Amino acid sequence: MIELVDIHKSFGKQHVLDGVNLTVEQGKTTVIIGRSGGGKSVVLKHMIGLLKPDSGKVLVEGTDIARMGDRELNEVRKKFGMLFQEAALFDSMNVAENVAFPLREHTRKKDREIMEIVRENLHSVGLPDVESKMPSELSGGMRKRVGLARALAMRPRIILFDEPTTGLDPVMTEAINELIIRTQKDFNLTCVVISHDIQSIFTVGHRIAMLYDGKIIEYGTPDEIRASRNPVLVQFLSGNLEGPISVL
Amino acid sequence: MNRIAQVIDQFGRSVLRGVEEMGSMLLLLISAIGWMVRPPLKLRLIFKQMEFVGVKSIFVVLLTGTFTGMVMALQGYYGFRMFSAESLVGSTVALGMTRELGPVLTSLMVTARAGSAMAAELGTMRVTEQIDALYVMAANPVKHLIVPRIVATVLMLPLLTVVSDFMGIIGGYFVGVPLLGINEGAFVKNITKYVDLSDIYNGLTKAAVFGLILALVGCYKGFNTKGGAEGVGRATTEAVVLASISILISDYFLTAIMF
């Protein structure tokens, strides 16, 4: 479904991605784990064409989006939904207008139909009574759920989640994980989740990939990852200060 | 020697940065013009910006225009009185307002009020990934965010300048005729005698150009914000400074061409 082939990306002198190879399987949730500032979001932004690689290919359903023009890229983007780290709701619009935005932009549906879809989507993320609220009036967890409702509005085939549970309390974390699992199953979505919340990655992931030093150093099912002897992965999962990942 | 080389190096770098920035701004303008002519026109967004840039700036422009006209009349009176030409105060105020002070002061006030807000708003949208969200939803941010601001500012600046010109002349009249005792007939007659329609048109054309400059600079700085809250603050300051300087410099060249 999505294939990253030998992606290299630098920002100034900083070489962030150093030959990333990763295949995201259709209808599965792939979780990318790795250190903070290690380039996970950069990988995700390549998948949807927000960043272009210095070299390498980003294949979405077999087509390289890294070489596409804006118009073609926009057509590909319609297959995607994305939940940003801080939800990225438009703060000049209320919740309903935020969720309705992609529908107003890309469909010719009447206002009544759009509002029905908005209500349905907000209901599916457990937020039935917030339509007229502004994003600034919502808690972090609510904002993320509205962000998910907006990402789902166009019924995408692929959803990208950028640290969906960061900064949330344990109960809200579990609620968001549950939502990811449910929506993935209900709509048979292909999901890519970025996370460093160890509990969440094993809850939501069908496949887990570890990004370290600009490369994917380990990839497998949750059981394979748990059983891995790779010292970097072992240290990352255990949260040990001693090991190949030097922090202090 | 090394020191001199360093200074030259620094100077060269800042010149290159300036040229690069001007080039990027020009590219942004070309892209905005491209999106401007491509339907659908986002009329609702344009009207919203027209309200913000135009309607909500009326009060500040009104005050600025009135007091500028008043002070010009006061200063002009003391000067013209020396050779008994007080009746020229009206035409001086009117010419000064329509040709220069109306468009320039209005643009500077709108830069401070709306240009800074454009940079801050777009800058915040950039650092909170709202602009990325637009890209992800296959909605072009230039069309949604920049085109409405540029169109609204270019349309509203001349209208605000009309308000400023009018209030300046009224302010001048108020100080000149009732307060300083200049003959009313001479005051008004000299305005109609010395002020051409072209003075007003050219002033309004200037205002439209200044509107383009302030909106483009505000949007460019906001759109290219980097680095959190500090970055937004920096972008806002840079937008106001650069737009104000650009308005004053371009005013000289426009005046040289027009009058």
Side-chain angles (χ1 to χ4, degrees):
Chain A
M1 184 98 195
I2 305 174
E3 208 180 336
L4 303 180
V5 185
D6 198 25
I7 299 290
H8 289 259
K9 181 74 182 175
S10 298
F11 296 102
K13 286 177 186 160
Q14 203 183 356
H15 207 55
V16 180
L17 302 183
D18 188 18
V20 168
N21 289 291
L22 176 68
T23 303
V24 175
E25 294 174 44
Q26 189 163 359
K28 296 267 190 293
T29 299
T30 302
V31 182
I32 303 172
I33 57 173
R35 292 186 61 189
S36 301
K40 302 186 297 295
S41 294
V42 175
V43 171
L44 205 68
K45 285 180 177 173
H46 275 87
M47 290 181 184
I48 199 164
L50 283 175
L51 289 173
K52 301 229 172 197
D54 297 337
S55 67
K57 286 180 182 172
V58 182
L59 303 172
V60 176
E61 293 177 340
T63 318
D64 187 6
I65 65 164
R67 312 276 166 265
M68 275 182 183
D70 283 349
R71 220 171 269 196
E72 286 171 290
L73 196 53
N74 275 347
E75 286 310 308
V76 175
R77 280 175 177 155
K78 287 177 190 168
K79 297 173 188 168
F80 281 84
M82 183 165 176
L83 176 59
F84 287 86
Q85 204 168 335
E86 302 293 333
L89 300 178
F90 302 127
D91 38 32
S92 57
M93 299 178 188
N94 66 22
V95 167
E97 286 167 339
N98 261 286
V99 180
F101 183 86
L103 297 163
R104 293 211 166 108
E105 198 55 31
H106 299 300
T107 68
R108 289 177 180 276
K109 289 186 193 327
K110 290 195 177 113
D111 245 27
R112 204 162 40 84
E113 282 176 87
I114 289 177
M115 287 319 289
E116 261 171 46
I117 298 172
V118 167
R119 267 190 286 274
E120 192 183 304
N121 276 10
L122 285 172
H123 194 266
S124 74
V125 296
L127 291 171
D129 302 315
V130 295
E131 282 163 45
S132 56
K133 287 210 158 105
M134 297 304 282
S136 57
E137 297 173 86
L138 305 176
S139 70
M142 287 163 98
R143 271 206 292 274
K144 289 200 178 180
R145 284 188 281 166
V146 174
L148 181 57
R150 185 176 71 180
L152 286 169
M154 290 288 287
R155 293 283 171 262
R157 301 215 290 273
I158 309 159
I159 296 202
L160 310 178
F161 296 87
D162 191 358
E163 301 197 16
T165 56
T166 301
L168 301 179
D169 65 67
V171 178
M172 188 51 74
T173 298
E174 203 43 48
I176 296 283
N177 286 340
E178 185 54 39
L179 268 176
I180 295 173
I181 294 166
R182 207 173 65 205
T183 44
Q184 191 276 328
K185 214 181 273 177
D186 288 353
F187 302 109
N188 190 30
L189 297 170
T190 303
C191 296
V192 183
V193 181
I194 280 179
S195 182
H196 34 219
D197 174 9
I198 303 301
Q199 210 177 334
S200 297
I201 64 177
F202 291 113
T203 314
V204 302
H206 298 116
R207 302 284 183 269
I208 296 167
M210 168 87 187
L211 180 73
Y212 183 71
D213 255 357
K215 291 185 176 72
I216 299 292
I217 57 157
E218 201 73 46
Y219 174 84
T221 62
D223 287 339
E224 286 166 347
I225 291 294
R226 268 197 205 99
S228 168
R229 298 282 172 118
N230 186 319
V232 174
L233 191 58
V234 170
Q235 188 193 353
F236 185 81
L237 293 179
S238 63
N240 237 326
L241 277 178
E242 308 257 317
I245 307 174
S246 56
V247 185
L248 298 172
Chain B
M1 192 63 194
N2 214 0
R3 194 80 183 232
I4 297 169
Q6 258 181 355
V7 172
I8 295 172
D9 181 58
Q10 281 295 328
F11 178 72
R13 275 174 205 277
S14 38
V15 170
L16 280 179
R17 237 192 337 263
V19 171
E20 199 182 311
E21 199 159 58
M22 273 172 67
S24 306
M25 254 185 254
L26 190 66
L27 288 177
L28 182 64
L29 178 63
I30 293 169
S31 163
I33 292 169
W35 282 105
M36 225 176 268
V37 294
R38 218 177 293 179
L41 255 181
K42 302 276 175 191
L43 279 178
R44 203 177 58 85
L45 294 176
I46 293 175
F47 286 139
K48 198 175 159 195
Q49 288 302 321
M50 283 170 87
E51 190 206 359
F52 175 69
V53 175
V55 180
K56 292 191 173 166
S57 299
I58 284 180
F59 184 67
V60 70
V61 166
L62 206 131
L63 270 184
T64 319
T66 310
F67 280 94
T68 306
M70 285 167 75
V71 83
M72 273 182 80
L74 206 56
Q75 292 283 19
Y77 177 78
Y78 294 130
F80 285 123
R81 196 177 52 175
M82 286 185 228
F83 36 95
S84 301
E86 293 96 327
S87 60
L88 288 173
V89 166
S91 51
T92 311
V93 170
L95 277 174
M97 286 307 296
T98 51
R99 284 179 167 211
E100 287 301 328
L101 292 169
V104 171
L105 289 179
T106 303
S107 308
L108 293 179
M109 293 315 288
V110 174
T111 300
R113 225 204 111 253
S116 58
M118 286 177 200
E121 200 179 342
L122 296 195
T124 307
M125 288 186 79
R126 170 63 78 188
V127 300
T128 56
E129 296 184 309
Q130 292 176 52
I131 290 178
D132 282 346
L134 279 171
Y135 279 119
V136 165
M137 287 187 274
N140 189 287
V142 174
K143 176 137 190 117
H144 281 262
L145 302 173
I146 295 178
V147 170
R149 283 169 172 81
I150 289 180
V151 171
T153 315
V154 170
L155 290 176
M156 293 316 283
L157 249 284
L159 297 180
L160 288 170
T161 302
V162 170
V163 173
S164 174
D165 290 353
F166 179 73
M167 289 313 295
I169 295 168
I170 294 289
Y173 174 88
F174 178 74
V175 170
V177 178
L179 290 185
L180 299 172
I182 299 171
N183 179 281
E184 187 181 0
F187 187 97
V188 176
K189 193 176 169 229
N190 278 336
I191 293 179
T192 51
K193 188 174 169 191
Y194 290 110
V195 179
D196 271 344
L197 211 53
S198 67
D199 292 321
I200 299 170
Y201 285 153
N202 286 337
L204 299 185
T205 310
K206 270 186 181 181
V209 175
F210 297 158
L212 176 67
I213 291 172
L214 85 87
L216 184 65
V217 173
C219 289
Y220 172 81
K221 286 289 180 185
F223 201 70
N224 292 291
T225 299
K226 284 185 186 118
E230 197 189 339
V232 176
R234 199 171 37 240
T236 310
T237 310
E238 283 177 6
V240 173
V241 172
L242 184 60
S244 305
I245 291 172
S246 307
I247 286 169
L248 293 172
I249 293 174
S250 61
D251 182 42
Y252 171 78
F253 291 103
L254 287 171
T255 306
I257 295 166
M258 285 173 170
F259 298 103

